[in-house]
Amino acid sequence: MMRIINTLCIAILIPLTGCFGTTEVKYDSTSHNPVISQSNLADPHVIKHRGTYYMYPTSNGEKTAQLMVYTSRDLKNWTEQGVVFSKRDVKELWAPDVFFHERTGIFYLYYTQSNSFEDVKIGIATSPNPTGPFADQGILIDGIDAHVFEDDDGEIYFYWTRYPAGFLADGPIAVRKLDNDLPTRFVSDEKVVISYTQNWENIWTGTISAILKRNPITEGAFIVKHNDKYYMLYSGGFYGSVNYSLGYAVSDSPTGPFIKNPNNPVLSAYKQHGLSGPGHASVVTDPEGGLSVIYHVKSNGYLVIDGSDRYINVDKLSIDEQGQIYISASLLNRSNM
């Protein structure tokens, strides 16, 4: 039966990059990646505050129900600063997004909590310090993978992947405006801005029935504004597989419409040979004044359901005169792991 399933998978889903395939992970002894030797880290969100970079990743394994913070001055050398937030009444916390509200001097942590695929919600916690501790302010909305973006005019936008998603439904990315003075309250209706239209966004849930239907997801939104254009980085595919990848879409407005790059994904195991499952990225201005992208990547070239083989990479990101995004992806270095 397994041979039959694998044959069907190869015949039907590999063209859709939706099969749990395999790839060869390659290593480079001169690479600076991963920037943190610890595994079980993913979905890194990085902010820069008063000359210091703060990284808030998902932490799996024994630290599943808590979120950590790491600090750096150069994006390459990171120091763990401990737990910033935890909850006892949930199984998992993931995909933290931290937003500094300059008008009040408060840091807002938007987190995803989960007890099952059917029970996923986004909550908010606050702190006067980027290293926490963050005090829980309750649940904001159903869904996963929050991202908050403040535009140059002070308007604040909330992006997230709507529930149900992935194993349960299409999981489109939507946006709503937040109150400019209190970014815990919505002041607009939701609008879907990214949904499944490209084959690489498909996942395979591991069942025979899933082989014959699509299971798409678009998640991990992050906004970069450049030359008055809004670039949304987002991920697709199954997070534990080698097929997890990064794409982007562009708009003249933070609320869309967003036009996907026809050459997506921009970062994947099949374009950057030697990488496995790269995705869920954030972008910051680096010490040299350019842009750097922070994302997770797998150390195994096969499916790992719990995602425990993920590490954090940092690489250069550029946008050319035609508005195309390029990522100078680096391989993992065994000596840094």
Side-chain angles (χ1 to χ4, degrees):
M1 178 62 72
M2 183 58 65
R3 186 171 300 172
I4 294 174
I5 293 174
N6 287 341
T7 300
L8 285 172
C9 186
I10 292 170
I12 299 174
L13 288 179
I14 280 183
L16 303 180
T17 67
C19 177
F20 291 156
T22 61
T23 191
E24 179 186 2
V25 176
K26 298 179 181 180
Y27 295 90
D28 180 358
S29 62
T30 67
S31 175
H32 59 274
N33 284 320
V35 294
I36 299 176
S37 61
Q38 179 184 344
S39 64
N40 298 338
L41 299 180
D43 314 327
H45 182 76
V46 175
I47 64 171
K48 185 177 183 180
H49 182 69
R50 296 178 180 174
T52 297
Y53 295 97
Y54 297 84
M55 181 195 296
Y56 306 87
T58 296
S59 177
N60 290 316
E62 296 179 357
K63 299 179 180 179
T64 298
Q66 63 187 35
L67 298 172
M68 314 287 289
V69 64
Y70 298 77
T71 58
S72 174
R73 300 288 291 187
D74 60 6
L75 290 177
K76 294 182 180 179
N77 299 285
W78 293 87
T79 302
E80 182 182 319
Q81 300 294 342
V83 177
V84 293
F85 181 68
S86 62
K87 292 189 78 169
R88 295 184 177 182
D89 57 341
V90 299
K91 181 180 178 181
E92 294 180 327
L93 295 172
W94 77 68
D97 188 280
V98 173
F99 167 67
F100 178 59
H101 192 247
E102 291 192 9
R103 282 168 249 184
T104 58
I106 298 296
F107 292 86
Y108 288 82
L109 168 64
Y110 300 82
Y111 61 87
T112 298
Q113 70 172 48
S114 170
N115 286 307
S116 68
F117 286 117
E118 293 81 14
D119 181 11
V120 288
K121 303 178 186 299
I122 295 171
I124 303 175
T126 57
S127 174
N129 301 303
T131 54
F134 283 80
D136 196 15
Q137 305 300 321
I139 298 302
L140 178 64
I141 195 170
D142 289 346
I144 64 172
D145 291 4
H147 173 57
V148 173
F149 168 74
E150 184 175 16
D151 207 348
D152 298 332
D153 59 3
E155 297 296 309
I156 302 174
Y157 300 87
F158 176 87
Y159 302 85
W160 83 108
T161 294
R162 294 198 317 182
Y163 175 87
F167 288 91
L168 304 177
D170 289 4
I173 295 172
V175 63
R176 295 180 73 172
K177 286 186 66 175
L178 289 169
D179 189 308
N180 295 339
D181 297 314
L182 188 65
T184 60
R185 187 173 71 89
F186 293 122
V187 294
S188 77
D189 294 331
E190 68 180 55
K191 177 184 179 182
V192 171
V193 289
I194 292 286
S195 57
Y196 168 77
T197 59
Q198 296 180 333
N199 289 333
W200 69 275
E201 299 159 351
N202 201 49
I203 70 173
W204 181 48
T205 63
T207 64
I208 296 177
S209 62
I211 296 175
L212 303 177
K213 67 179 182 180
R214 62 188 177 92
N215 285 96
I217 187 168
T218 51
E219 64 179 28
F222 188 92
I223 298 293
V224 177
K225 188 175 183 180
H226 178 77
N227 289 344
D228 294 324
K229 297 285 187 180
Y230 300 84
Y231 292 79
M232 179 188 290
L233 297 176
Y234 70 97
S235 295
F238 182 62
Y239 70 90
S241 78
V242 305
N243 300 323
Y244 196 66
S245 304
L246 186 72
Y248 72 91
V250 187
S251 176
D252 293 323
S253 165
T255 58
F258 282 86
I259 305 302
K260 293 181 182 179
N261 170 31
N263 297 316
N264 276 339
V266 67
L267 189 62
S268 75
Y270 304 105
K271 288 190 175 180
Q272 287 79 17
H273 297 291
L275 291 182
S276 177
H280 204 122
S282 60
V283 178
V284 293
T285 301
D286 57 38
E288 293 76 33
L291 296 177
S292 285
V293 58
I294 304 93
Y295 60 98
H296 71 242
V297 65
K298 290 163 53 65
S299 61
N300 291 309
Y302 49 84
L303 172 69
V304 177
I305 289 291
D306 63 2
S308 61
D309 62 337
R310 294 179 291 181
Y311 288 83
I312 304 300
N313 278 11
V314 177
D315 285 310
K316 296 291 187 179
L317 180 147
S318 60
I319 304 175
D320 69 13
E321 294 181 354
Q322 288 71 45
Q324 298 292 309
I325 286 181
Y326 294 92
I327 296 174
S328 301
S330 302
L331 301 176
L332 293 173
N333 184 342
R334 288 186 187 275
S335 65
N336 294 341
M337 301 167 67

